[in-house]
Amino acid sequence: MLSILIPSFNYNTFPLVQELHQQLLEENITFEIIVGDDASTDSETAKLNQQITTLSHCILKVNPINLGRGSNRNALCNIAAYSWILFLDCDTIPTSSQFIRNYLDCINRNDGDVFFGGIAYNKARPDKEEMLRWIYGRTREAIPVNKRQRKSYDATLVSNILMKKQLLLDYPFNSAIYDYGFEDFVFIAELEKNHIPIFHLDNPVYHLNLEKSQVFLEKHLKALDNLNKLIEQQIISPNETALSRLRENIVRLKLRRAVASIYKLLEPKLRSNLISDNPQLLLFDFYKLGYFCSIKKL
């Protein structure tokens, strides 16, 4: 009935699998949990993840080479046995003991093909060096269901998404995207272009892995490098993302050099704020815009 697919890389995924396994057994349904380890390099977490194989109907699939985020998801879908799949990120955990039951209700009602349950963050403030990721997540990702429904596609993440397997076979993740960033955006955009509705419900998972602010910044810059490349490759239109649309307008007004120059001048101070215990998201937005303008080809 249900295949739960969990892409994993250098992360102890066993606690998540344990929780899901217990909930699934209580529902007495046919299921499988497949963890796709994308050639992890951390031997300690790889050892911990071997425990997954001790649980019934649970599989640990270790890729011999790193496939990348999108292709790893496609590979998991291709070996999934059941007609419904639930994708979960490895660094999440359900907020409710009724998590599986809530998704089974969606399946049993048969009133949609794609459902997004949402993302949540713990309320307790983290350490100073993790503050940017926590504030960003609580402000930009942990969106209440009533607000998500208004912008169904924009508010969807693939870290907690239920869908029919055939849908993913028809519209797989773009295998040309290997580097980090925007593979999920392209996937969701493809659903939107094909008028496939996404239904939202209040069934979140906690995001657990708070990267240090410095790491979070660097990941965003890598994602912007990849966005720039995807635009050049015409995989993403310059008008598809809010940031690239803004850059196009800045270029049209012949202000790109000015914005890039201001960014380079202020970059040390901006970074200092963003890795502090009181990072400002408006400064983070300008930081990303300035960097994105600085990598625009002349």
Side-chain angles (χ1 to χ4, degrees):
M1 180 182 187
L2 178 63
S3 297
I4 299 183
L5 309 179
I6 308 173
S8 180
F9 181 75
N10 286 345
Y11 195 83
N12 179 13
T13 312
F14 184 61
L16 170 60
V17 174
Q18 265 190 315
E19 174 62 27
L20 296 170
H21 187 259
Q22 182 59 40
Q23 290 193 26
L24 287 158
L25 289 178
E26 290 174 1
E27 296 298 334
N28 193 30
I29 63 166
T30 304
F31 73 90
E32 65 180 355
I33 303 174
I34 309 176
V35 176
D37 184 322
D38 202 14
S40 289
T41 56
D42 185 335
S43 59
E44 184 59 32
T45 56
K47 183 178 179 181
L48 291 170
N49 283 335
Q50 286 297 325
Q51 299 173 89
I52 292 166
T53 62
T54 66
L55 301 176
S56 60
H57 313 293
C58 295
I59 300 167
L60 175 64
K61 176 180 175 290
V62 181
N63 298 333
I65 59 171
N66 185 275
L67 299 179
R69 291 156 62 91
S71 292
N72 191 26
R73 290 178 183 273
N74 290 339
L76 288 170
C77 177
N78 288 334
I79 64 172
Y82 303 116
S83 58
W84 281 92
I85 60 174
L86 170 60
F87 271 124
L88 291 170
D89 278 1
C90 62
D91 56 356
T92 62
I93 200 80
T95 65
S96 167
S97 60
Q98 297 299 303
F99 177 74
I100 293 297
R101 164 49 43 197
N102 292 337
Y103 273 137
L104 291 180
D105 287 344
C106 295
I107 293 173
N108 292 332
R109 287 196 305 268
N110 195 30
D111 56 1
D113 294 343
V114 187
F115 300 89
F116 175 55
I119 301 296
Y121 283 77
N122 286 305
K123 293 181 180 179
R125 292 174 70 85
D127 294 336
K128 167 188 171 181
E129 57 268 23
E130 298 172 338
M131 196 62 68
L132 178 61
R133 183 67 184 94
W134 182 73
I135 290 175
Y136 181 88
R138 282 174 59 84
T139 305
R140 302 284 174 83
E141 295 176 346
I143 305 171
V145 64
N146 60 323
K147 292 185 178 180
R148 284 192 270 120
Q149 288 170 335
R150 296 172 198 162
K151 294 186 176 181
S152 178
Y153 298 101
D154 292 344
T156 298
L157 303 171
V158 297
S159 45
N160 176 22
I161 191 168
L162 173 76
M163 67 183 72
K164 288 184 177 178
K165 176 182 175 180
Q166 187 58 50
L167 191 62
L168 189 59
L169 294 175
D170 292 340
Y171 306 102
F173 285 83
N174 191 319
S175 59
I177 306 175
Y178 177 79
D179 295 328
Y180 175 81
F182 289 89
E183 75 288 334
D184 50 353
F185 174 87
V186 171
F187 173 70
I188 297 299
E190 192 66 19
L191 297 183
E192 183 176 14
K193 289 172 187 175
N194 287 277
H195 310 290
I196 297 165
I198 298 175
F199 297 92
H200 290 255
L201 65 152
D202 187 17
N203 196 34
V205 291
Y206 284 120
H207 178 98
L208 300 178
N209 186 27
L210 295 180
E211 303 110 329
K212 295 185 185 304
S213 298
Q214 187 75 31
V215 174
F216 187 58
L217 272 179
E218 295 304 322
K219 286 181 69 173
H220 265 271
L221 299 189
K222 287 182 181 178
L224 293 178
D225 287 336
N226 202 37
L227 174 58
N228 195 64
K229 182 169 69 174
L230 295 175
I231 291 172
E232 291 178 353
Q233 294 173 342
Q234 298 183 343
I235 293 175
I236 293 178
S237 162
N239 293 314
E240 277 193 87
T241 77
L243 187 63
S244 56
R245 281 196 301 272
L246 182 54
R247 188 178 71 173
E248 287 299 300
N249 289 331
I250 289 171
V251 170
R252 196 173 298 115
L253 294 171
K254 302 186 185 303
L255 294 174
R256 185 199 67 82
R257 289 177 181 270
V259 173
S261 296
I262 294 171
Y263 160 75
K264 290 176 181 177
L265 180 65
L266 296 180
E267 195 276 341
K269 290 184 177 180
L270 292 171
R271 182 177 286 262
S272 178
N273 171 266
L274 295 175
I275 63 175
S276 73
D277 59 357
N278 187 33
Q280 304 297 308
L281 291 187
L282 284 177
L283 296 181
F284 187 39
D285 291 339
F286 178 75
Y287 190 93
K288 292 186 292 182
L289 175 63
Y291 179 81
F292 200 44
C293 284
S294 73
I295 61 175
K296 171 71 176 178
K297 284 190 174 182
L298 297 178

